[in-house]
Amino acid sequence: MILLFEAFGTAMLTCLYLATGGGAAMFIGFFILLIFSARISGSHYNPIVTLAFMLRKDAGQFNKWLGLLYMLFQLGGAYVGCLVSFYFFGTKAFYLTVTRHPLQCMLCEVLGAFILVTMYLT
């Protein structure tokens, strides 16, 4: 059940990003997703957030095997979210990501994940 919430939330977050291209609408949607499943699964929705929880050294340590399962379900959810976005929004949603250079996409993901982890863990 917990893993399905992570997969569903990641799929919805991926759909939000591809449909809106980021910005305020995506962050409002992320906040709503966070409220609905924060107590159930922790609302990680990103493998880098799960990895940060796995590497923490405090008393509430996150189980590493559960963390690996979280990451698998998050990747599956992101894949499903891409497919749903493609079929609902067509190639218009993918125009934002396909035309960028792969290094630019990787840099955006690293910076975005850093900001997300910083905001999530503070």
Side-chain angles (χ1 to χ4, degrees):
M1 183 77 163
I2 293 170
L3 297 172
L4 292 177
F5 270 95
E6 281 296 315
F8 178 75
T10 305
M12 291 298 102
L13 190 61
T14 303
C15 286
L16 276 169
Y17 177 74
L18 291 175
T20 64
M26 190 196 84
F27 286 112
I28 291 170
F30 175 67
F31 182 70
I32 292 169
L33 282 170
L34 186 81
I35 289 172
F36 281 127
S37 70
R39 292 184 183 211
I40 297 169
S41 70
S43 298
H44 295 182
Y45 299 144
N46 192 326
I48 203 76
V49 174
T50 304
L51 183 66
F53 271 92
M54 288 169 52
L55 298 177
R56 287 173 54 172
K57 302 238 188 261
D58 62 350
Q61 208 167 17
F62 194 71
N63 186 351
K64 293 186 181 8
W65 290 108
L66 182 62
L68 291 174
L69 287 174
Y70 264 47
M71 289 181 191
L72 274 170
F73 274 77
Q74 289 163 353
L75 290 173
Y79 182 73
V80 169
C82 284
L83 291 177
V84 167
S85 290
F86 180 73
Y87 288 115
F88 280 124
F89 304 114
T91 56
K92 183 189 223 183
F94 281 144
Y95 182 77
L96 295 170
T97 57
V98 171
T99 59
R100 291 183 180 165
H101 192 274
L103 290 176
Q104 182 183 8
C105 292
M106 288 172 48
L107 180 65
C108 289
E109 173 61 29
V110 169
L111 290 174
F114 176 76
I115 292 168
L116 179 67
V117 169
T118 303
M119 296 301 287
Y120 194 83
L121 295 178
T122 54

